[in-house]
Structures are given as C-alpha cells and as structure tokens.
Amino acid sequence: MTALFIVLTVQITLGAFDNFWHHELTQRLPARRSARGEIALHATREFVYAGLFLALAWTTWNGVWAYVLVSLFALEIAITLADFVIEDRTRKLPALERVLHTLLAINVGIFMAVFIPVAWQWSLAESAIVGVDYGNWSLFLTFAACGVGLWAIRDTIAAISWFRPPYWVRQPLVIGDEKSARTVLVTGATGFIGQATCRALLERGDRIIVLSRDKAQARDRFGDHVRIITDLAEIDCAQRVDCVINLAGAPVAGWLWTTRRRRKLIDSRVDTTKAVLDLIGRLTRKPEVLISASAIGYYGVHGEKRLIETDKPGGGFQAQLCTAWEATARKATDRGVRVCLVRFGLVLGRNAGVLPQLAMPLNFKCNLVFGSGDQWVSWVHIHDAVRLILFAIDTPAINGAINATSPRPVRHGEFMADLGKRRRSLVRFKVPAIMLRTLLGELAELFVDGQKVVPLVAPALGFKFRFEKLSRALDNLLNAESIGSSIDVFYDAGCPVCNAEIEHYRQACDVSGARIGFKDVSATDNPEHIIGLPCADARKRLYARTQSGEVKSGVDALIEIWRRLPAYTWISRLAKLPGIHAALEMFYDLVAAPLVSAWSARRRRRLLNSEIR
C-alpha cells in the first residue's frame, strides 16, 4: 500500500497546485459565469475524491465492494475527460496548466496500474468493508479528504450562484433616454469602478461599447443594454466613438509583486492602452476625450507632504507602473484627443472594492490596524469617483491629471476607528509594519505607507464632492436607511401567491403605519422607467426601491419590507446574517422565484386561452 499512497500523494499535490494556482488565482474560474459548467464538474470530482481518500485511509473494500471502489475511480476519469472537453470550449488554457493536466493524467495511469492488483486481491475476499489503520498515511489522507471536501463545497456554491438570474436582472439597470446621447467605449467595464461607471452612463442615456475578455461575464452584468466586444478590431473605422474610458488592468493587490507579477501589472495596462491608441488612429472620426485610469501611487511615498496634481512622480514600483500607464495614454494627444488621467485613491464601495475586506475582521469584533496607524489614507466614495469621470467627460477644460480623492484624507488609525464604531468592534489589534514588509515585500506599501493626496483641478472647475467627510461616506455605505423612510415595492398582482403575500404585508402596514407603497408591475404599461426592466422580467421577482433611489430585489427586497414591520424585525435581522442570507438568496433565486413565476405564467396563459374561447 505504501507505493499506492506515494502515487496518490503526488496526485494530491499536483491537483492542489492546479486548483489553487490556475483555477483560483490566475484564471479565477469561480468568478466567471462562462466557467460554471467546468466548476460544476470540478465540484463533482472533488466530492468523489473526498470519498475515495477516506475510503482508502481507513478501510479495505472486499468482494463486490472492490468493484464499487473501482467504479468510483472510473467515474472520476469520466468526469476528468468531460472536463477536458468543456474547458477547451470555454477558455484558452495556459501552457503550464496543459502540462500539469498531462502530468496528472500520466499519474492517474500509474495509480491505476498500482491499484488494480490491490483491488483484485480485495475482490477475492468475502464481501465486506473492513476497517484498517495505516498510521500517518491514514491521517494524511483524512486531512486531504477534508481539504478537497471543503473545496468541493466552495466550488458547488460558486457553480450554483452562476445559475441564478443574471446580475442585471437582480440589480436592475436604469436606462435613460437622453436625446444627445454619446457613444462611449469602456475597457475594464466588469471591474468595480467599471460597472458603476457603465451604470451611470446608461442612466443618463449614453450608448456603451464594452471591451471584455469574458463576454458571458459582461452579458451577466449588462445584458443587451450594451454592445459587448472581445477585441477592439471588431469596431469598424466608420464607427462613431465620442469618448473612451480606459479602466482595464490586473488587480494591483492580487498577489506578491514578483518580477513576473510586476511585468503583468504593467503589460495589462500599457498593452490595452496601446490597443486603444491604435483604434483611435484608425477611426475616421476621433473621440473627443480619452479618460484613462491611474492611481495616486504615481506620487510615491512622501509621508506628511500634501500632494496635488502638479507634483512629480515618486520612486518605487507604484510610481513606475502609473508613469508607464499615463505616458502611454498621453500619446492620444498627438491624435488630437483630449486626455484626462484620473488618479484614483482608495475607492470605497458597499459590496466591492477595499471596504468589505477592511470591514471583514469587524464581523468577529476585531479591528485591525496596519503599522502605526498614522499613515494617511486618501479615499473616495465610489459615487464621487464615477461622478468625477462623468465630469471629466463633460468638461473640456480638463486636460491631464486629476486626483480622484476626497478633499479630506484621514489617517489609517482614524479610518479604522470610525469603521469600528459602526460595527461595534471590541478588540483593536495592530499588525506590525515590519511583519507586513517581511511577508509582502514592496506590496506592503499599500498597507503601511500612506499618501496625503488632495484634489485641486476638479474642485477649481466647479466639481463638488457629495461625500467629502469619511463619516458621511461610511454612513451611506454601511448603514441601512432609517426604518421610517419610505419604500416602493413592485410585485405581480396577477400571481395569486405574490398577491396574497403582499396583501398580508399591506394589512401589517395599516396597523404599524410603515411607509410602504405597493405597486403592481403588471398594471403598468412600461415599468422599465421605474425599475429598469420590461414587464415580462419585472413579474419574475419582487423589487423594492428605497427612498434614495436604490433598487433591491428578491431576498433583499423582502428584508426592506420586514425591517419596517415590527412583527418581522427579528426575521430581517436573521436573514441578514452572512450564511443565512446566502442560503436564502440561493433558495429564492433557484427554487422559489422560478417555480412561482412559471406557475403564474402558465395560469395566465390558461386564463387568456379560456377568454379567447
């Protein structure tokens, strides 16, 4: 059995590296809708592996049970072959991943060559599953089974989540009807800032062309409301493009800044920008403006010095990265295009960006402070960051760099203290700067070396920040609207189940005095102006529009109702707990809403047919 376990250990090691390095870090498969089939196969195979590891660790399968065990290995091989076919259809595999898959396949052949004689000997014995103990090998395989089992659960959740309704249905887009709409090309549109920018452009009525490597991901975010391309060569020379917003680039904080990683960070930005320049060069009608992203890392580390747009670039990799990116973008001026370089600070958003990561330890009542806490944090609310991009598009006087940061930077310690008050943290920990520098190298600059950056260009031209103070920004991003504020709930009165539930809530509102308005989407000629969806889609889910104009759907819409009704307050609190909230969302999106919607649609058709007869 020792030879068998050695070969199995090689397989476990290679498989773990493939999962972690390729599937998670470089390819990010769980975050790609187009990979949901592949992820589902991975999850199934991982559950099979978990069972096999435990079976081999503590038992021998004698008699007919030996054939069952061999059949499980055959199932794993069949799943792997199907995986090879699907992954070739959905993505281009890196060379290292192809080599690794070949090695895994060869090792499976070696394993079967060793295992079949063992299984044959087991099959000759009386049929029974007999307990055994292989000492450290049993413990190792148990540990491996637990690890691959947890990974299987994680992949299962990721795969199932991509079978939910598209994001643009769960979070409706508001489509404007501005007569003088621009045509805007956006790169990096599926990123944090890119998504918010595209939503704002659509809301004001602009036409959008989205450049994305993952067409399925972009369609999930925007549906048919935008034109999606995977290569700028798809844009014809005669195509009108009024503005280009260039946000594409690999995440800076995604991995250690090794030599290879640094090259990738620079190339991902510079190469896309060069492609944009090539497009501008061949367009018959040049864009009015190129909005190109950058970052305040351009200034380098300067401690207490106040940094503005006219300051020179600093030293270090951050400055090198931003300087190369900006220098490439500036070449568009040679083609008669106005160039705006938006240097973003720390962008704060509700469900994306850096804020959820900073707030994560607070879920366990711990407040982490990096280094001394005296370093400056130059931040900006996502709403102001997007408004600044639109302001740069609409203001011809803006040329060159503009700082996308709040006029009021704060120290890191103050930032975390303010954040901790809103999450009621109990314990405050300081992570020593030397520890971060040792573990992360130059990447630690993002956490322990601050920059005091303030915007001068945009405010001088009339731009006003809506979230100038950190306290107001955090209140907006972390705190729910007052239970006394009004909401409008949109539902399908033609569905008996929905109608009965809403009537119950309506009666509860009459008793409690909650300010909830109930609107039947099926009675509205064109609800698209209300929640951004045509009637056929609006009927399939429950939607709620808050007083601030934010539209929520499904479980989140129900929570908005429950928290305003005294008898249901406890349910709203329970439903917001992380694990429970995710489970309720899955149930609503994959079971409750589809079943009720399909039944209601069939009922509506039967009624219509009976009326025709």
Side-chain angles (χ1 to χ4, degrees):
M1 291 297 291
T2 301
L4 184 71
F5 291 146
I6 291 174
V7 176
L8 196 57
T9 299
V10 174
Q11 191 75 3
I12 291 170
T13 304
L14 293 175
F17 177 79
D18 186 35
N19 263 358
F20 180 72
W21 183 256
H22 292 122
H23 300 171
E24 293 289 333
L25 292 182
T26 59
Q27 299 295 306
R28 300 179 66 244
L29 296 184
R32 295 166 59 177
R33 188 180 188 89
S34 59
R36 63 182 182 176
E38 185 179 350
I39 288 295
L41 283 176
H42 291 177
T44 305
R45 183 174 59 198
E46 287 154 1
F47 276 122
V48 172
Y49 268 136
L52 289 172
F53 292 165
L54 285 177
L56 292 175
W58 302 103
T59 58
T60 60
W61 292 45
N62 298 331
V64 296
W65 291 107
Y67 296 101
V68 173
L69 197 61
V70 172
S71 298
L72 287 176
F73 278 108
L75 175 62
E76 187 278 330
I77 293 173
I79 293 172
T80 299
L81 292 175
D83 184 30
F84 287 164
V85 174
I86 287 181
E87 65 189 7
D88 268 336
R89 289 177 178 175
T90 57
R91 64 189 178 96
K92 181 179 179 181
L93 269 68
L96 177 59
E97 188 172 4
R98 286 195 179 278
V99 171
L100 200 58
H101 286 182
T102 302
L103 293 176
L104 284 165
I106 293 172
N107 198 66
V108 166
I110 298 173
F111 174 83
M112 295 305 293
V114 177
F115 175 67
I116 292 299
V118 174
W120 175 253
Q121 291 298 320
W122 289 351
S123 70
L124 299 177
E126 183 179 353
S127 296
I129 298 178
V130 181
V132 293
D133 185 350
Y134 296 109
N136 290 334
W137 283 117
S138 293
L139 295 176
F140 170 73
L141 289 178
T142 301
F143 175 78
C146 291
V148 77
L150 290 173
W151 215 310
I153 294 172
R154 181 256 194 282
D155 280 347
T156 299
I157 294 173
I160 291 175
S161 67
W162 285 119
F163 286 90
R164 299 166 63 191
Y167 184 83
W168 69 271
V169 172
R170 290 181 278 128
Q171 300 293 328
L173 298 161
V174 178
I175 309 301
D177 54 0
E178 187 176 320
K179 294 181 180 179
S180 58
R182 292 182 174 91
T183 298
V184 183
L185 168 65
V186 183
T187 73
T190 56
F192 169 41
I193 300 175
Q195 287 186 53
T197 302
C198 287
R199 283 178 166 265
L201 291 168
L202 289 171
E203 187 172 353
R204 73 179 197 170
D206 290 334
R207 296 177 293 270
I208 302 179
I209 302 173
V210 166
L211 173 67
S212 176
R213 290 175 299 173
D214 191 337
K215 202 166 189 175
Q217 180 86 345
R219 192 166 298 283
D220 176 72
R221 289 297 184 263
F222 309 113
D224 294 326
H225 296 292
V226 303
R227 177 189 171 190
I228 303 170
I229 60 175
T230 56
D231 193 316
L232 292 178
E234 297 176 42
I235 298 179
D236 188 79
C237 297
Q239 168 74 53
R240 174 175 175 172
V241 178
D242 299 298
C243 171
V244 179
I245 301 176
N246 181 29
L247 304 170
V252 173
W255 195 242
L256 295 178
W257 289 346
T258 59
T259 301
R260 183 177 178 182
R261 178 67 180 170
R262 291 171 192 241
R263 189 71 263 160
K264 180 179 180 180
L265 290 174
I266 293 176
D267 289 347
S268 66
R269 288 159 172 78
V270 172
D271 290 350
T272 302
T273 307
K274 287 180 178 178
V276 168
L277 293 176
D278 291 341
L279 170 67
I280 292 174
R282 64 183 178 82
L283 287 176
T284 304
R285 184 180 182 274
K286 307 302 181 190
E288 299 170 8
V289 59
L290 166 62
I291 308 293
S292 189
S294 184
I296 59 174
Y298 172 89
Y299 302 109
V301 178
H302 287 281
E304 298 294 315
K305 181 182 177 181
R306 180 172 173 267
L307 300 167
I308 60 175
E309 286 90 346
T310 55
D311 282 313
K312 295 180 179 180
F317 175 67
Q318 289 188 72
Q320 177 189 354
L321 173 65
C322 295
T323 301
W325 197 4
E326 292 187 11
T328 307
R330 287 183 191 274
K331 293 179 182 178
T333 58
D334 299 336
R335 294 169 169 82
V337 177
R338 177 168 62 94
V339 176
C340 296
L341 306 167
V342 185
R343 294 171 181 164
F344 291 104
L346 196 70
V347 184
L348 306 181
R350 181 173 285 120
N351 299 314
V354 72
L355 186 60
Q357 281 70 41
L358 290 175
M360 189 179 297
L362 297 173
N363 293 328
F364 305 96
K365 303 303 178 183
C366 295
N367 195 338
L368 294 183
V369 176
F370 300 123
S372 66
D374 293 331
Q375 65 271 31
W376 287 99
V377 175
S378 297
W379 61 275
V380 65
H381 191 293
I382 181 61
H383 183 70
D384 281 333
V386 172
R387 286 181 57 241
L388 196 55
I389 290 174
L390 302 186
F391 182 77
I393 294 174
D394 299 335
T395 309
I398 295 183
N399 278 285
I402 51 175
N403 288 336
T405 60
S406 164
R408 300 193 182 188
V410 298
R411 296 188 186 275
H412 174 63
E414 297 172 15
F415 184 102
M416 296 307 299
D418 209 346
L419 189 59
K421 288 177 184 177
R422 285 160 175 77
R423 290 295 179 87
R424 299 178 183 177
S425 62
L426 300 178
V427 183
R428 182 182 172 97
F429 287 109
K430 281 194 174 185
V431 182
I434 189 172
M435 178 187 298
L436 291 171
R437 295 188 194 279
T438 301
L439 294 174
L440 303 179
E442 195 176 356
L443 177 62
E445 285 184 3
L446 297 177
F447 305 98
V448 298
D449 294 321
Q451 296 166 300
K452 188 178 182 181
V453 180
V454 294
L456 291 187
V457 173
L461 292 170
F463 182 83
K464 296 187 181 299
F465 287 84
R466 291 183 184 173
F467 299 96
E468 186 172 318
K469 293 183 179 180
L470 178 65
S471 57
R472 187 180 177 191
L474 294 180
D475 284 340
N476 174 264
L477 295 171
L478 297 178
N479 296 339
E481 291 190 2
S482 167
I483 60 173
S485 62
S486 64
I487 62 169
D488 289 322
V489 175
F490 302 90
Y491 72 105
D492 179 14
C495 170
V497 175
C498 304
N499 196 49
E501 183 177 15
I502 292 301
E503 283 302 315
H504 174 74
Y505 293 142
R506 198 193 304 272
Q507 294 174 14
C509 288
D510 293 339
V511 174
S512 65
R515 299 169 60 193
I516 304 178
F518 298 96
K519 302 182 183 298
D520 175 17
V521 294
S522 61
T524 305
D525 292 335
N526 185 11
E528 195 160 357
H529 289 295
I530 302 174
I531 56 174
L533 291 172
C535 185
D537 289 323
R539 285 173 173 167
K540 295 178 181 179
R541 296 174 66 82
L542 183 71
Y543 292 91
R545 185 178 59 194
T546 66
Q547 190 169 310
S548 65
E550 183 181 6
V551 177
K552 299 185 178 183
S553 74
V555 172
D556 288 334
L558 286 169
I559 289 174
E560 288 298 324
I561 298 174
W562 293 338
R563 59 189 294 267
R564 287 168 169 80
L565 301 175
Y568 291 89
T569 303
W570 68 274
I571 298 180
S572 71
R573 292 173 180 167
L574 182 65
K576 286 191 292 186
L577 295 176
I580 295 177
H581 185 267
L584 288 175
E585 281 191 319
M586 291 291 185
F587 177 76
Y588 184 95
D589 292 340
L590 299 173
V591 182
L595 288 178
V596 172
S597 174
W599 173 75
S600 178
R602 287 195 299 270
R603 179 178 178 275
R604 189 177 285 108
R605 286 194 297 270
R606 286 198 302 268
L607 292 174
L608 181 61
N609 291 335
S610 64
E611 289 177 2
I612 294 175
R613 294 195 192 98

